Amino acid sequence: MATEGLHENETLASLKSEAESLKGKLEEERAKLHDVELHQVAERVEALGQFVMKTRRTLKGHGNKVLCMDWCKDKRRIVSSSQDGKVIVWDSFTTNKEHAVTMPCTWVMACAYAPSGCAIACGGLDNKCSVYPLTFEKNENMAAKKKSVAMHTNYLSACSFTNSDMQILTASGDGTCALWDVESGQLLQSFHGHGADVLCLDLAPSETGNTFVSGGCDKKAMVWDMRSGQCVQSFETHDSDINSVRSCRLYDLRADREVAIYSKESIIFGASSVDFSLSGRLLFAGYNDYTINVWDVLKGSRVSILFGHENRVSTLRVSPDGTAFCSGSWDHTLRIWA
Amino acid sequence: MPCLRKMERMIVSMQDPDMGIKMRNQRLLITVIPHAMTGNDIVEWLIQKYGISEEESLHLGNLIVKHGYIYPLKDPRSLVLRADESPYRFQTPYFWTSTKWPATELDYGRCHRATGTDTGCHPFAATLSATASLAAIYLAKKNIRKQGDLIEHEKDNYNLLHKRINHTWDFVVMQAREQLRAAKQRRKGDRIVIDCQEQAYWLVNRPPPGAPNVLEQGPERRNCHTTRVQLTKNMDYYKREIEYCRKAMARTRVKSSICLEGYIKFNEQYVPHDPIMSGCLPSNPWITDDTTYWAMNAPTVTIPTKLRVERWGFNFSELINDPLGRTQLLEFLKKEFSAENLSFWEACEELRYGEQSRISEIVDSIYQQFLAPGATRWVNIDSKTMERTLEGIKTPHRYVMDDAQMHIYMLMKKVGEGGAGQRRAGQDPDVSAGPGLLPTVPQVGPLQEPAGRGHHSPGDQEAVRAGAEPWGPPGVVPAGSDPVLPAGSSPSCASSGIPAPARPCCCPRAMPRRGAGALPPPPCPRRRAESPPALRERPDPAHSPAAGPCRQ
């Protein structure tokens, strides 16, 4: 009836205004405890000297854009995936290829190494995440042992094993993240809340090991509780898709706010992937302008710019022991820098 | 593409009459081209404006040219910026890369602009077929001018277009002829400029095979504006937002100053351990191709390095997550007759991260081994947690042991970190200042300071050397000796030569009641007279043959 419709509209409007006013109050609360900026606290810290990092290895072998890579816990092996569907496991120290598998889809945007080093996971436009055990048999046929674990309704953008080979966390273009049991393919938990494609995720290295963060095209970074599936924190200050943001931003989870922005006038293109050095003092970011910028996290200044790739840098990760980092690019190569 | 907008702003400031690049006539062989600049001019301006190096400036300039915002007059086939006297010009906004409308947009502002005159005209919306027509006209002109002698890929494209828009081909050829005729009436300088503009535009939008396509974006992503995720902003949506805000308001926040100080302290603690910042000994394998560093730091090595042991002292999770550290922890706990705690914790980890199908089995096994009244390896948990856990076991799931696991973890943490009390003296007065767990492990010290990057404070040298003494066997690593094994020392922990220090007993002060029917625990062998009985397992029959088999 007409009067009911009116009532509903009023409630919707009042809910909307309540939500908005609460958001405002939340921002005020957050601001109350913001008593100092990072660069002020960092004044007493010594500035970093000259930084020289070079390409120490170039891994050639992919026939098309490299989209993702991950390190093995043994600090030298890596897995990488590319647009043409190929997934390669390398001993990057010797640059030898150890395993290769061709996925049935193109744009394999996600790949991950299992903690044991005995398996890899990958996925992309097939909307799935598949796990391949690695063997050293002479005539290994990796594709035969493939296990389909995750099923999304859109492309897979990121995947990661948790503390064991038996669980995988995935992020997808369908706007959700999900936790899966590898053995059975069962969905253990799903995480809803992003308003658009989820592009990346990372697990928190905490003592309880219960949270992870995801970033999406809705410009939000969200922190999730793996047990309950709830979003426990979110940050919304980016001005563009998180994965092509022109500025890198640092959020402090305890302070519950953004604490630093890393950007420069001369940097026009977005950063596609970031990682910290072991001590957290340096931030390495790979950009769509083919370069890698090294930032001093505390001072907020750029320490170094690394050239070498001939197309956009699509993935970047520091090795498990922090001795080097690896970057993958649309120029079909991966580079190890140290 | 937001980066194109930023690039355009840059281009606009480059053309600013006062602060922009000084343009002048450039000579191209015998022709004079107005409003042009040299490659050098561009590089210099970027260096000045953004305070960047020449290398970066050249790289940035190249990107601008690759995206078609500046085009070369000499050698127009190659969109490359040369830092010399080569002439360049700003692309007309008509041909800007961002002037690309999605194919679904209606076509308005038709092809009367197809003459490509250098007048700052407004962009037009091009449908797929309109762009195809333009491409066809461009190639047709080339075809006519070169009398059929097109480059391979241009020929292919030409034929393809012919097939695709066959129905308008007469129009295409007519336009091509018209444009060529009009061009003949222009001055040579203008003709060159227009040709270069068009050339640049098509190089960007229809790159030849093998050349990278700067416009490629990868698979389409939907963002908030074209979302495929159903987020209708109805009442439920706002109710969820309100709920979230309320929870978020209630969350404990910490002052920025404290958080940031904490972060800086973390940095300072870990920087000596960060190989990229401080180097590593003997060398970084990636730089020298020498894998000794990895051999010395392998997960299970007989003698850990000093740095590694130092790291165990930072916090408990470093200790327990390092396989060698965990072994040390286990040895220590065994001596305190409380090794069951670590076993329990490990079993809980197996449950949390294990296979879904084995959950019931693992929960049952944990219960039998660690929680059941009179279990062989009974762990001491406070009664509330025990009650909750036992209740939860009735409907087993992978997180059912979380509370109990955390309790035991904290217990072990207190013990493990208490051992490092001398490093953090003054922080926790309850913790005895005994060296505890760590110094009985012989370690390898550095031969010399690693060649680090960045800044080293002078205090570092002293700290490293001073730190060597209490930790290792006397005479560890004299100069010149093999860096892996200290000269004269044996690898085993027991023969370190250091007298066993007094260590805090791992008996907690508060002793919760044990289950009825349990045997009283044997006295803690190391406890001081005043401390209460320890919490530990009954001696394992396998290890102490004197004791009889445990009753179940």
Side-chain angles (χ1 to χ4, degrees):
Chain A
M1 294 185 299
T3 43
E4 250 181 41
L6 206 64
H7 184 103
E8 200 180 278
N9 274 342
E10 282 173 336
T11 331
L12 184 66
S14 66
L15 277 180
K16 181 172 175 183
S17 63
E18 188 183 346
E20 255 144 50
S21 86
L22 270 179
K23 269 199 193 148
K25 283 211 187 93
L26 179 59
E27 282 317 302
E28 274 172 37
E29 279 300 310
R30 278 172 156 171
K32 272 187 196 156
L33 290 174
H34 187 57
D35 52 346
V36 77
E37 297 289 336
L38 178 55
H39 66 87
Q40 291 171 293
V41 186
E43 257 161 35
R44 66 173 179 78
V45 177
E46 298 279 350
L48 294 174
Q50 263 301 323
F51 239 88
V52 176
M53 288 188 80
K54 294 195 192 138
T55 302
R56 305 290 173 176
R57 300 285 191 280
T58 307
L59 304 176
K60 297 190 185 163
H62 275 294
N64 214 315
K65 308 177 177 65
V66 176
L67 302 175
C68 188
M69 62 81 44
D70 192 18
W71 287 91
C72 175
K73 283 218 161 91
D74 74 357
K75 311 155 194 173
R76 49 192 284 175
R77 282 177 177 73
I78 63 172
V79 61
S80 61
S81 63
S82 82
Q83 181 195 348
D84 60 3
K86 279 242 169 31
V87 178
I88 301 180
V89 175
W90 316 70
D91 174 352
S92 57
F93 192 70
T94 57
T95 72
N96 289 339
K97 301 182 205 27
E98 296 192 338
H99 306 265
V101 69
T102 308
M103 294 275 286
C105 67
T106 58
W107 288 92
V108 186
M109 293 177 262
C111 63
Y113 225 116
S116 68
C118 299
I120 55 164
C122 49
L125 285 188
D126 58 353
N127 302 356
K128 294 195 250 186
C129 185
S130 310
V131 175
Y132 293 85
L134 299 175
T135 59
F136 279 93
E137 284 158 29
K138 261 281 175 174
N139 302 315
E140 90 171 322
N141 180 4
M142 279 178 69
K145 303 237 181 72
K146 162 178 161 175
K147 203 184 302 189
S148 241
V149 174
M151 294 273 284
H152 279 279
T153 54
N154 217 299
Y155 65 87
L156 193 81
S157 55
C159 66
S160 173
F161 285 89
T162 60
N163 269 17
S164 79
D165 287 14
M166 289 168 273
Q167 284 184 333
I168 281 198
L169 198 54
T170 58
S172 164
D174 65 10
T176 69
C177 298
L179 182 66
W180 310 83
D181 176 58
V182 172
E183 194 57 48
S184 60
Q186 184 186 345
L187 172 68
L188 300 175
Q189 184 65 260
S190 68
F191 306 90
H192 296 258
H194 272 290
D197 303 12
V198 187
L199 296 174
C200 48
L201 60 80
D202 198 16
L203 286 147
S206 79
E207 282 177 328
T208 49
N210 266 339
T211 59
F212 74 95
V213 66
S214 65
C217 283
D218 57 355
K219 310 178 195 173
K220 279 201 217 166
M222 299 177 89
V223 181
W224 305 88
D225 176 349
M226 293 215 294
R227 279 189 59 166
S228 63
Q230 297 299 313
C231 167
V232 293
Q233 244 179 320
S234 81
F235 301 97
E236 212 173 337
T237 64
H238 268 295
D239 52 16
S240 164
D241 297 1
I242 293 186
N243 206 34
S244 63
V245 287
R246 269 163 287 139
S247 49
C248 298
R249 290 168 195 251
L250 184 68
Y251 298 97
D252 187 303
L253 295 180
R254 287 194 308 163
D256 194 27
R257 61 176 301 113
E258 174 189 292
V259 291
I261 305 182
Y262 305 98
S263 67
K264 213 165 144 56
E265 270 294 299
S266 59
I267 299 176
I268 303 179
F269 288 83
S272 62
S273 54
V274 295
D275 205 357
F276 287 99
S277 74
L278 192 140
S279 61
R281 181 68 193 266
L282 297 172
L283 180 70
F284 302 105
Y287 288 76
N288 292 342
D289 67 359
Y290 322 168
T291 67
I292 294 163
N293 285 280
V294 184
W295 300 92
D296 178 339
V297 173
L298 300 182
K299 300 283 193 186
S301 56
R302 186 187 63 192
V303 171
S304 187
I305 177 169
L306 305 174
F307 299 96
H309 278 299
E310 292 163 8
N311 206 320
R312 63 167 78 174
V313 177
S314 52
T315 179
L316 188 155
R317 274 195 234 212
V318 172
S319 78
D321 63 354
T323 47
F325 70 86
C326 178
S327 60
S329 160
W330 280 19
D331 68 1
H332 309 189
T333 69
L334 295 119
R335 283 169 181 250
I336 311 279
W337 306 78
Chain B
M1 284 168 63
C3 47
L4 288 184
R5 263 178 275 283
K6 200 169 177 189
M7 193 177 263
E8 279 161 21
R9 282 202 293 277
M10 206 179 251
I11 287 288
V12 166
S13 63
M14 280 168 104
Q15 294 177 76
D16 181 271
D18 300 315
M19 304 300 294
I21 301 182
K22 293 286 168 283
M23 295 195 279
R24 43 183 185 277
N25 292 349
Q26 290 291 337
R27 193 165 277 279
L28 193 66
L29 293 179
I30 52 167
T31 324
V32 169
I33 315 282
H35 304 303
M37 58 212 159
T38 66
N40 246 339
D41 292 336
I42 299 169
V43 171
E44 279 306 317
W45 187 89
L46 288 171
I47 292 175
Q48 289 305 315
K49 169 85 176 175
Y50 296 111
I52 53 183
S53 67
E54 182 170 349
E55 192 181 12
E56 191 177 351
S57 164
L58 191 58
H59 180 88
L60 181 55
N62 254 302
L63 282 174
I64 296 176
V65 173
K66 272 201 180 70
H67 282 78
Y69 286 94
I70 288 178
Y71 59 89
L73 292 165
K74 191 168 78 175
D75 193 14
R77 280 205 160 278
S78 159
L79 291 183
V80 162
L81 178 67
R82 273 177 262 273
D84 54 19
E85 299 302 302
S86 311
Y88 291 85
R89 237 169 160 265
F90 289 104
Q91 180 65 286
T92 169
Y94 172 83
F95 274 140
W96 277 4
T97 308
S98 62
T99 312
K100 236 181 186 288
W101 294 73
T104 51
E105 285 283 320
L106 288 174
D107 180 18
Y108 65 86
R110 296 262 276 134
C111 299
H112 68 279
R113 296 293 183 194
T115 50
T117 46
D118 191 8
T119 54
C121 46
H122 12 265
F124 66 95
T127 61
L128 223 48
S129 63
T131 323
S133 307
L134 286 182
I137 294 168
Y138 171 70
L139 286 173
K141 276 197 298 185
K142 258 200 170 167
N143 198 29
I144 295 170
R145 257 201 340 238
K146 296 204 166 171
Q147 295 162 334
D149 188 24
L150 290 175
I151 307 172
E152 194 62 50
H153 78 269
E154 282 176 338
K155 221 177 254 173
D156 291 340
N157 279 339
Y158 182 80
N159 293 332
L160 218 75
L161 285 164
H162 192 145
K163 251 188 235 155
R164 232 167 82 189
I165 55 172
N166 200 9
H167 51 286
T168 55
W169 203 250
D170 289 340
F171 170 76
V172 165
V173 173
M174 184 194 76
Q175 274 290 314
R177 290 215 171 97
E178 177 56 37
Q179 288 184 23
L180 283 173
R181 194 193 58 75
K184 280 203 176 78
Q185 296 173 355
R186 291 205 187 87
R187 286 188 352 250
K188 185 158 185 206
D190 287 348
R191 267 210 311 276
I192 291 175
V193 160
I194 290 166
D195 282 349
C196 290
Q197 281 176 349
E198 272 194 322
Q199 173 86 286
Y201 177 80
W202 289 112
L203 278 173
V204 172
N205 287 275
R206 296 279 187 279
N213 181 357
V214 292
L215 300 180
E216 191 171 8
Q217 288 302 301
E220 195 185 351
R221 295 176 192 168
R222 305 291 179 86
N223 54 28
C224 269
H225 308 293
T226 56
T227 185
R228 73 176 113 242
V229 175
Q230 289 310 311
L231 259 202
T232 37
K233 299 203 171 171
N234 56 13
M235 290 183 36
D236 280 335
Y237 169 80
Y238 286 116
K239 280 190 186 144
R240 278 200 308 271
E241 290 275 296
I242 291 169
E243 180 64 34
Y244 171 79
C245 282
R246 289 223 174 96
K247 277 207 188 113
M249 295 257 269
R251 98 180 268 119
T252 1
R253 271 173 208 89
V254 183
K255 271 204 273 190
S256 288
S257 49
I258 297 178
C259 298
L260 298 175
E261 274 296 337
Y263 188 73
I264 293 180
K265 283 217 171 67
F266 177 91
N267 280 165
E268 289 174 340
Q269 195 175 43
Y270 278 87
V271 157
H273 298 257
D274 182 340
I276 292 178
M277 293 280 301
S278 314
C280 52
L281 286 184
S283 66
N284 187 323
W286 297 104
I287 299 179
T288 58
D289 290 351
D290 172 16
T291 58
T292 311
Y293 177 74
W294 284 334
M296 283 167 66
N297 286 283
T300 44
V301 80
T302 336
I303 303 185
T305 64
K306 183 182 155 304
L307 271 181
R308 186 172 180 177
V309 175
E310 188 180 294
R311 206 164 150 177
W312 296 344
F314 288 171
N315 59 65
F316 187 64
S317 65
E318 288 282 358
L319 181 70
I320 203 170
N321 287 319
D322 180 331
L324 205 56
R326 196 183 289 196
T327 326
Q328 295 296 327
L329 176 64
L330 182 63
E331 289 306 312
F332 180 71
L333 291 173
K334 275 189 182 153
K335 293 199 175 102
E336 303 291 319
F337 294 93
S338 53
E340 76 278 2
N341 294 311
L342 183 59
S343 308
F344 174 71
W345 183 84
E346 284 179 335
C348 292
E349 287 284 280
E350 199 194 332
L351 171 66
R352 273 223 291 175
Y353 299 110
E355 291 163 38
Q356 187 69 7
S357 55
R358 290 189 59 219
I359 286 184
S360 304
E361 176 198 326
I362 299 177
V363 169
D364 197 51
S365 148
I366 293 179
Y367 174 75
Q368 293 300 331
Q369 279 188 71
F370 301 100
L371 300 174
T376 44
R377 317 190 73 195
W378 199 81
V379 286
N380 207 321
I381 308 167
D382 68 276
S383 51
K384 267 215 190 87
T385 312
M386 181 63 94
E387 222 176 277
R388 260 204 313 272
T389 308
L390 292 178
E391 189 59 38
I393 286 179
K394 294 185 183 156
T395 45
H397 58 92
R398 69 177 60 239
Y399 302 113
V400 78
M401 296 290 173
D402 273 11
D403 288 344
Q405 184 182 7
M406 181 52 56
H407 181 97
I408 294 297
Y409 181 85
M410 288 303 175
L411 205 66
M412 289 194 294
K413 178 174 176 169
K414 198 162 184 186
V415 170
E417 282 181 346
Q422 81 167 9
R423 289 192 147 254
R424 301 189 289 133
Q427 280 200 0
D428 185 350
D430 282 339
V431 173
S432 98
L437 167 67
L438 301 172
T440 59
V441 180
Q443 310 124 47
V444 179
L447 277 179
Q448 69 214 28
E449 270 303 291
R453 263 179 278 255
H455 189 89
H456 264 302
S457 63
D460 279 1
Q461 298 270 355
E462 277 76 52
V464 164
R465 265 183 255 115
E469 272 75 6
W471 297 103
V476 67
V477 201
S481 68
D482 175 356
V484 178
L485 278 180
S489 78
S490 95
S492 93
C493 194
S495 55
S496 67
I498 298 180
R503 276 174 290 163
C505 182
C506 68
C507 332
R509 299 245 147 211
M511 262 303 294
R513 283 174 176 282
R514 293 174 67 95
L519 291 175
C524 171
R526 286 189 181 276
R527 76 179 157 115
R528 296 170 207 182
E530 62 278 12
S531 33
L535 78 103
R536 83 208 66 75
E537 62 186 283
R538 273 177 279 271
D540 188 324
H543 289 170
S544 39
C550 295
R551 59 127 286 198
Q552 187 30 50

